[in-house]
Amino acid sequence: MDADGPQALCDLCLAQVCSSLEALCSRRADGSLGLSLAPVFPQEMADQLLRNMATKGILNDTTVGIFQHCKELRLRRASIRRCTVSAEAFRLALCPHRLQELDAAWASGGLTGANIVSGLASNPECRSSLRRLCLTGLHVDWESLMEVGVGFSSLQGLRTLNMANTDLTDAALEDICSLPQLESLDISCSAVSKLTALLRCKNTLRSFIGHKLQQLDMSPLRCLSVLSQLHTLRHLDFSEDHFAVDDSDGKDGEETVRQLLEGSAQVLPSLVSLDISGRKRTSEASVRAFVEARGGLVFLGLLATGASSCEILTSQRNLKVTGEANENQVCEALRRYRDRECFIREALLHLYNLTTDIDKPRPDMLKLVLGGMQSQPTSLHIHLVATACVFNLTAQDLAEAMPVCLLTSTVTQLLIAMETFPSHQQVQKNCLLALCSDYILQDIPFDKYFAATLVINWLRSHQDPTLQRMAVAVISILVAKLSTEETVKLGKDVFIMKQLLAIVQHKAMAGVVDSTLKFALSALWNLTDEMPTAARNFIECQGLGLYEEVLETYYTEPSIQQKVLGLLNNIAEVEGLQGDLMEEGLLEHILSLLQDSEVEVGVRYFAGGTLAQLASRPEAWTLGDELHSNTVKQLHESIMTWNQLEREMVSYRSFRPFCPLLQTWQPSGVQLWAVWAIHLVCGQNTSHYRSMMEKEGVTELLRALAAHPDTHSDIRDLSDSILLMVDQQQNHTEPQNS
């Protein structure tokens, strides 16, 4: 079981609702969806449904319409973070609810802060019920609010307000600070130039966050004078983006911080949490003075200050610190700064160094890296370092000790990174390095078709040999994991066929045997497995002539021959393509491999499969009766010399290509190859193949063969053996089911 445990039933049900919205809803005249049958949801579940829709990226003007059923779906804590919702859809779907919290951070679709505030204020209940509001990343449009005579102060119950990364002005801040119950305010990265408005809420404000206030125009003395009057303040964030500010800028802010650190503890007497990360002129002496004067400190932000190695910090057991001095400080930074690209970037750089030679699984670290990637989906700086950290944390056997759901989320994020930064070679390389793991590709559930298409698209424009090897390896494994429908779609792409054949040709011309060649051959083999379109593309791309050369060139390499013959076997199964294989030189070469007792059984097996498929169709055979008779005879004689293999050599997604070979009128050599093949795989995994045999009619064909008077005894014996295995498996399964 996954270390994080199974998914909650509620989460599974809500996921099903999200994926079935179209079926559960009808459309209104404006195009929005409404539930056809709207039961009364438990209140918390309505919040969860909205949050799930937002997280899955399906919340928009159309789908948000289901929340117009405000009696059945009663929202209290609403999130439309990063969703595309228009002002009108917001007004109709969310404003009628008695909301307590709203997170509209980075919402798009033209929705402004003014739209949200005026919409919420239009509901008398919301004016008093709303406690938390997050408008991060939105255009405030303060002038529009002034025109309608509505402001933030209309929301009298508001206690927590986040206006980070907005165009918040001094006038709007004045209005905000008149809120009678305001306890927490974040105006980071805004256009505010004065902080004097904070004095209007000095008796209620407990947390003030002013990160990267680069338009602040106040002397250190005046700034500290305002801050020192906030008597109830417990958390102060006056940090700076150290990447955006050079050494000649930000001197006033640095001086304000210095005076605060070295000043009296009577200034901000309630303060227990201070964040000055990014303030590069901070000295260890100032930090020491501050910590010694304030015994109740619980948090100190010192990332990118150069002061996080101060010795006094190690003696404070209850003090959490963000910095770069040790692993705890770096991980604390990743936990606290998800919304700040500059600090996540800095912390990841230090984490990368910490994990370069890691030899123990650290799912806690991987979660932090994943969180940083998810919170900054478009940041190249973040993904450049984060993808390298993912590789460090999942390399070798480390991935196998990670929770499966964590790896699924991580791989999904790697794929999103590949899609978002298609031209950045190092990001692509990091992602391919992390993906190039047998355990991840074979055992971890993720969208393998999406992954395959991304890697194939990468191959279109990159020729780096190292990356090409990894990409071909990933494609080779992924193709084998695709559903039939997905493989059909992929097989229609002529580019991938040409690209893989070009790799094979390049390697064959050099006469080398390496993993790139083997993976390319495996990918082509899997792409053409029961895929007529892909098989036809292979022939049209001149693959047949190339494969004849490879078969002759690598006559001492059974691993290469087996993959080549496996693909020829796939082509021989396709009606209408057998004629392309009717070249006497090719067939005689394959026949010689079948007959040669020195050749490995795996090679002879696929040689026999190709010949059996061709010999089973008299109408397609154009090379004369003598070669046909000899082929059938040699098939029977050679197969009877083969030993049953203990290792798994081949697996089949279907036995349908075998059905024509099992007809009672087929030559014994043809029948024997098919029966031997079925006996091989059933002997290794009877439970897997039993239902396939029943479903596709193979069991009945074997019974008919065993009962027919003209069936050769060798074939009858193998058929009886298969049927016995199947019966024993069925008898073993039935009592367990009972």
Side-chain angles (χ1 to χ4, degrees):
M1 183 177 288
D2 200 328
D4 285 353
Q7 271 191 285
L9 179 60
C10 176
D11 293 337
L12 293 170
C13 292
L14 288 173
Q16 184 61 36
V17 171
C18 288
S19 63
S20 309
L21 276 179
E22 289 284 350
L24 296 171
C25 297
S26 56
R27 287 191 181 270
R28 300 186 181 92
D30 63 358
S32 65
L33 294 181
L35 289 170
S36 301
L37 178 64
V40 177
F41 270 53
Q43 191 279 306
E44 295 84 355
M45 200 175 292
D47 292 343
Q48 278 183 267
L49 177 60
L50 179 68
R51 193 180 310 114
N52 282 15
M53 291 170 65
T55 303
K56 292 177 183 295
I58 61 171
L59 190 69
N60 51 45
D61 279 8
T62 300
T63 57
V64 77
I66 67 172
F67 293 97
Q68 291 185 36
H69 299 276
C70 54
K71 292 182 179 179
E72 293 80 9
L73 294 170
R74 296 160 295 156
L75 295 173
R76 294 295 179 267
R77 294 172 176 82
S79 174
I80 57 172
R81 177 176 281 256
R82 296 189 184 278
C83 297
T84 304
V85 177
S86 67
E88 181 65 9
F90 174 80
R91 184 184 66 80
L92 291 172
L94 298 185
C95 291
H97 294 268
R98 194 173 185 273
L99 295 178
Q100 295 173 359
E101 299 178 9
L102 174 64
D103 181 356
W106 306 105
S108 54
L111 190 63
T112 66
N115 298 144
I116 290 173
V117 172
S118 60
L120 295 172
S122 68
N123 180 348
E125 288 188 315
C126 269
R127 285 176 175 252
S128 58
S129 68
L130 193 70
R131 297 287 186 268
R132 289 174 172 270
L133 179 60
C134 179
L135 302 181
T136 299
L138 299 189
H139 170 45
V140 176
D141 195 12
W142 174 247
E143 292 75 15
S144 295
L145 280 175
M146 291 298 91
E147 288 176 8
V148 296
V150 175
F152 289 92
S153 54
S154 303
L155 305 173
Q156 289 284 291
L158 207 56
R159 294 170 185 253
T160 300
L161 179 60
N162 190 332
M163 300 295 293
N165 294 283
T166 67
D167 54 345
L168 182 70
T169 61
D170 292 340
L173 183 61
E174 286 280 350
D175 179 59
I176 288 169
C177 291
S178 69
L179 287 164
Q181 301 182 68
L182 187 64
E183 296 178 354
S184 178
L185 177 62
D186 187 345
I187 60 169
S188 301
C189 307
S190 68
V192 167
S193 64
K194 305 290 182 186
L195 297 181
T196 48
L198 297 178
L199 296 176
R200 302 187 68 179
C201 55
K202 65 181 181 179
N203 295 322
T204 61
L205 196 64
R206 296 163 62 84
S207 172
F208 174 66
I209 303 174
H211 166 70
K212 195 180 176 182
L213 294 178
Q214 294 187 341
Q215 295 189 44
L216 193 63
D217 185 19
M218 297 178 74
S219 69
L221 186 64
R222 180 58 183 150
C223 188
L224 196 60
S225 171
V226 170
L227 293 175
S228 65
Q229 295 181 62
L230 306 178
H231 302 301
T232 60
L233 199 68
R234 294 177 62 79
H235 172 65
L236 172 62
D237 183 338
F238 206 58
S239 56
E240 182 57 272
D241 181 349
H242 57 296
F243 289 115
V245 178
D246 60 37
D247 292 338
S248 61
D249 293 332
K251 289 184 178 179
D252 285 349
E254 300 283 351
E255 179 60 21
T256 302
V257 168
R258 187 193 66 77
Q259 291 183 22
L260 175 62
L261 291 175
E262 298 177 1
S264 167
Q266 299 306 309
V267 176
L268 298 175
S270 302
L271 199 69
V272 295
S273 173
L274 175 66
D275 198 336
I276 54 172
S277 290
R279 298 291 182 181
K280 292 182 283 189
R281 294 189 181 90
T282 303
S283 69
E284 290 190 11
S286 298
V287 170
R288 187 182 309 108
F290 185 77
V291 173
E292 287 175 343
R294 297 174 184 263
L297 275 181
V298 295
F299 172 70
L300 192 55
L302 295 174
L303 183 68
T305 62
S308 63
S309 298
C310 187
E311 288 184 9
I312 195 173
L313 299 175
T314 59
S315 64
Q316 308 294 310
R317 291 186 178 180
N318 298 323
L319 179 63
K320 292 187 181 298
V321 179
T322 59
E324 55 277 338
N326 54 52
E327 177 189 305
N328 289 337
Q329 291 185 4
V330 172
C331 289
E332 187 65 29
L334 288 169
R335 268 189 289 273
R336 287 185 178 258
Y337 297 137
R338 285 193 176 186
D339 291 332
R340 296 188 185 168
E341 180 187 8
C342 58
F343 294 157
I344 289 288
R345 176 182 170 187
E346 179 75 19
L348 284 171
L349 285 168
H350 293 289
L351 187 73
Y352 175 77
N353 293 328
L354 287 171
T355 58
T356 300
D357 298 314
I358 196 167
D359 58 359
K360 293 181 180 178
R362 293 295 303 269
D364 56 326
M365 283 186 175
L366 187 58
K367 283 181 182 178
L368 293 173
V369 174
L370 177 62
M373 295 171 75
Q374 290 172 333
S375 64
Q376 304 289 338
T378 60
S379 169
L380 174 59
H381 293 301
I382 297 294
H383 283 77
L384 183 59
V385 189
T387 51
C389 290
V390 169
F391 172 67
N392 284 352
L393 290 164
T394 58
Q396 306 300 329
D397 299 327
L398 295 174
E400 296 181 31
M402 299 286 185
V404 171
C405 63
L406 175 60
L407 282 178
T408 296
S409 299
T410 303
V411 172
T412 300
Q413 201 61 41
L414 288 175
L415 299 180
I416 291 171
M418 291 185 73
E419 183 181 41
T420 307
F421 308 106
S423 302
H424 197 282
Q425 182 155 316
Q426 191 59 51
V427 171
Q428 298 290 321
K429 182 178 181 179
N430 292 347
C431 292
L432 284 171
L433 279 167
L435 285 173
C436 212
S437 154
D438 271 347
Y439 174 69
I440 288 175
L441 294 173
Q442 299 279 7
D443 298 335
I444 300 302
F446 61 93
D447 190 339
K448 293 181 171 62
Y449 178 75
F450 178 45
T453 54
L454 283 173
V455 179
I456 289 167
N457 286 334
W458 179 88
L459 271 176
R460 293 178 193 271
S461 53
H462 295 81
Q463 298 297 325
D464 180 273
T466 304
L467 296 183
Q468 187 182 74
R469 182 177 68 252
M470 289 190 292
V472 173
V474 170
I475 292 169
S476 171
I477 296 173
L478 289 177
V479 168
K481 293 289 182 180
L482 300 181
S483 68
T484 302
E485 294 75 16
E486 290 169 338
T487 310
V488 168
K489 284 196 289 185
L490 207 60
K492 290 179 180 178
D493 187 347
V494 178
F495 166 80
I496 181 59
M497 191 68 66
K498 288 180 177 178
Q499 187 71 26
L500 291 172
L501 285 172
I503 292 169
V504 172
Q505 185 173 34
H506 175 72
K507 297 294 180 181
M509 287 175 65
V512 298
V513 178
D514 62 11
S515 58
T516 305
L517 174 61
K518 291 179 181 179
F519 280 126
L521 292 171
S522 294
L524 287 163
W525 185 5
N526 286 320
L527 270 175
T528 54
D529 184 18
E530 291 191 62
M531 299 295 151
T533 302
R536 195 167 286 108
N537 286 342
F538 174 85
I539 291 173
E540 291 174 357
C541 292
Q542 312 304 314
L544 206 51
L546 173 61
Y547 265 45
E548 287 184 55
E549 293 176 19
V550 172
L551 203 56
E552 293 175 4
T553 304
Y554 292 93
Y555 62 91
T556 60
E557 296 291 340
S559 62
I560 303 296
Q561 289 181 311
Q562 188 170 311
K563 291 173 172 54
V564 170
L565 290 166
L567 183 141
L568 296 180
N569 206 146
N570 289 343
I571 293 176
E573 293 172 0
V574 180
E575 190 173 349
L577 297 184
Q578 294 92 354
D580 292 277
L581 295 174
M582 288 296 162
E583 295 181 20
E584 190 167 346
L586 173 62
L587 262 61
E588 286 183 345
H589 184 75
I590 296 174
L591 190 57
S592 70
L593 292 173
L594 173 73
Q595 295 171 291
D596 191 344
S597 59
E598 299 297 318
V599 172
E600 285 190 7
V601 172
V603 176
R604 299 172 75 190
Y605 173 83
F606 288 107
T610 304
L611 294 170
Q613 287 289 350
L614 295 175
S616 71
R617 294 172 170 81
E619 71 282 0
W621 189 274
T622 59
L623 298 178
D625 294 341
E626 184 178 347
L627 182 56
H628 185 274
S629 299
N630 188 39
T631 298
V632 170
K633 178 185 175 185
Q634 292 302 322
L635 270 170
H636 198 127
E637 291 179 0
S638 297
I639 293 169
M640 291 310 297
T641 67
W642 298 352
N643 294 320
Q644 282 290 337
L645 301 175
E646 293 182 4
R647 65 180 179 84
E648 187 174 10
M649 181 182 67
V650 65
S651 61
Y652 291 103
R653 70 176 80 194
S654 164
F655 281 136
R656 281 186 291 271
F658 288 72
C659 293
L661 312 187
L662 294 171
Q663 301 301 320
T664 56
W665 49 265
Q666 287 285 10
S668 66
V670 170
Q671 295 171 336
L672 184 59
W673 182 86
V675 174
W676 196 93
I678 295 170
H679 189 274
L680 171 68
V681 294
C682 279
Q684 293 167 343
N685 195 346
T686 311
S687 59
H688 174 72
Y689 288 107
R690 179 176 66 84
S691 58
M692 187 191 297
M693 290 173 62
E694 294 284 352
K695 183 179 179 181
E696 296 176 358
V698 173
T699 308
E700 289 304 314
L701 287 172
L702 289 172
R703 288 198 177 100
L705 261 184
H708 198 276
D710 295 337
T711 298
H712 194 285
S713 60
D714 295 334
I715 298 163
R716 183 178 293 109
D717 291 345
L718 274 176
S719 299
D720 287 338
S721 178
I722 297 168
L723 293 169
L724 180 62
M725 279 192 284
V726 170
D727 289 341
Q728 287 175 340
Q729 173 64 30
Q730 187 167 1
N731 293 335
H732 176 71
T733 305
E734 285 175 355
Q736 288 185 331
N737 292 341
S738 300

